[in-house]
Amino acid sequence: MAALSTQGIVLKSIKYNENDLILTIFTRRYGKVSAIARGARKSKSRHLPSSQIFSYNNYVMSMQKSLYTIYQSDSIKSFYNISMDFESFSYASFITKLVEMNLEEGQTNNKLFELLVQTLFLYSEGYEEKLYLLDIFLIKFIVCMGYSPQVSRCVSCSCTDYQYAVFSIEEGGIICNKCAKNEKFYIKMDQTTISLMQYLQNNDIIVCTKARVSKILVNELFYILKKYIINYFEKVDFKSLEMLDNIKV
């Protein structure tokens, strides 16, 4: 089998035996793959740096039966600093698990790959508004996976000129005041939150992080995105973030 070369981010690492690790890697060229890093558990292994969770690396590997074998690996960015901050580590762990659980084996997604690299970079560099960064990632993750909410016009009548709007999880976007017949089934939100969602959808993540957003808006948006993701993605677990909230309190 010919050797394959690609960049990849380690999403998951499992002990295989005394010396080896089985890695779940989100690769740029081949999507999510499982690969064995032989000897990676040894302290002097050449694969040790490129087997760490979050790390961004170059890999040369080939398929052996149902599993890739890594023959060569070189670190691009370790993102080691993420592990030095508990809050950043918690958010980054949630993000990588979300990606790992919702990508099929071999499913490529270059936009999501770039988004993940940029998000891990920002967390590793100590970006202060950590929950806001999670909001940015989540709304862009939803877009990358093909479930983008419609927030530029009413999903029912397509109008953009409305008095106010509410958000419908089931219908996938905002509902104008004329179409919202029974508002108790919708999430109330003001135009500022709608405008923020539009901004995050339409701008690069680095541009988005430069905006100053109030904590009230950040929390409201997280509440909406959490409900949206739970509705559209079967494999998601927010328990770790709930635990983080309890510790912060």
Side-chain angles (χ1 to χ4, degrees), residues 36-51:
I36 186 167
R38 299 195 183 280
R41 297 185 64 195
K42 295 180 180 179
S43 59
K44 295 183 179 179
S45 171
R46 69 184 188 279
H47 295 314
L48 182 60
S50 56
S51 299

Side-chain angles (χ1 to χ4, degrees), residues 227-242:
K227 285 186 171 294
Y228 195 89
I229 286 174
I230 289 172
N231 186 76
Y232 286 94
F233 297 87
E234 294 182 3
K235 301 174 182 178
V236 60
D237 184 2
F238 282 92
K239 291 180 180 178
S240 61
L241 297 188
E242 292 170 0

Side-chain angles (χ1 to χ4, degrees), residues 203-228:
N203 288 280
D204 177 82
I205 185 172
I206 302 300
V207 174
C208 292
T209 57
K210 298 182 185 303
R212 291 188 177 183
V213 181
S214 72
K215 289 185 178 180
I216 294 175
L217 275 179
V218 169
N219 289 326
E220 181 179 346
L221 183 55
F222 177 69
Y223 173 80
I224 294 169
L225 293 174
K226 179 180 176 181
K227 285 186 171 294
Y228 195 89

Side-chain angles (χ1 to χ4, degrees), residues 159-196:
C159 78
T160 57
D161 183 18
Y162 48 80
Q163 185 178 353
Y164 66 88
V166 291
F167 192 83
S168 171
I169 299 293
E170 289 74 18
E171 296 180 62
I174 59 172
I175 306 289
C176 74
N177 56 288
K178 294 179 181 179
C179 296
K181 303 301 182 183
N182 195 337
E183 294 186 17
K184 70 178 182 179
F185 297 113
Y186 304 128
I187 299 174
K188 293 183 179 180
M189 59 193 301
D190 59 35
Q191 185 58 45
T192 306
T193 308
I194 295 172
S195 297
L196 176 60

Side-chain angles (χ1 to χ4, degrees), residues 55-180:
S55 62
Y56 177 34
N57 313 287
N58 286 311
Y59 295 99
V60 176
M61 53 191 177
S62 67
M63 177 65 78
Q64 301 290 331
K65 296 183 179 179
S66 61
L67 194 68
Y68 284 94
T69 297
I70 297 172
Y71 290 105
Q72 183 180 333
S73 60
D74 301 292
S75 176
I76 299 173
K77 186 75 174 178
S78 70
F79 299 126
Y80 176 78
N81 288 344
I82 292 176
S83 64
M84 306 299 288
D85 180 85
F86 181 72
E87 191 175 0
S88 294
F89 181 81
S90 298
Y91 288 139
S93 297
F94 170 78
I95 283 170
T96 51
K97 186 174 182 180
L98 182 67
V99 172
E100 186 265 325
M101 292 177 68
N102 288 282
L103 274 183
E104 299 295 332
E105 288 280 339
Q107 177 185 352
T108 58
N109 192 322
N110 286 332
K111 288 185 178 180
L112 181 57
F113 184 89
E114 291 294 340
L115 174 65
L116 182 57
V117 170
Q118 290 175 314
T119 305
L120 293 176
F121 173 80
L122 288 164
Y123 276 124
S124 71
E125 293 298 307
Y127 180 73
E128 293 184 358
E129 302 300 327
K130 297 177 177 61
L131 181 57
Y132 174 52
L133 179 55
L134 178 62
D135 281 349
I136 299 170
F137 176 86
L138 291 180
I139 196 165
K140 290 186 174 297
F141 169 80
I142 292 168
V143 172
C144 287
M145 296 297 286
Y147 295 95
S148 178
Q150 175 59 265
V151 290
S152 61
R153 58 178 59 86
C154 174
V155 296
S156 182
C157 69
S158 298
C159 78
T160 57
D161 183 18
Y162 48 80
Q163 185 178 353
Y164 66 88
V166 291
F167 192 83
S168 171
I169 299 293
E170 289 74 18
E171 296 180 62
I174 59 172
I175 306 289
C176 74
N177 56 288
K178 294 179 181 179
C179 296

Side-chain angles (χ1 to χ4, degrees), residues 14-21 37-43:
I14 300 175
K15 296 177 182 178
Y16 180 60
N17 54 33
E18 185 177 352
N19 297 316
D20 305 339
L21 290 171
R38 299 195 183 280
R41 297 185 64 195
K42 295 180 180 179
S43 59

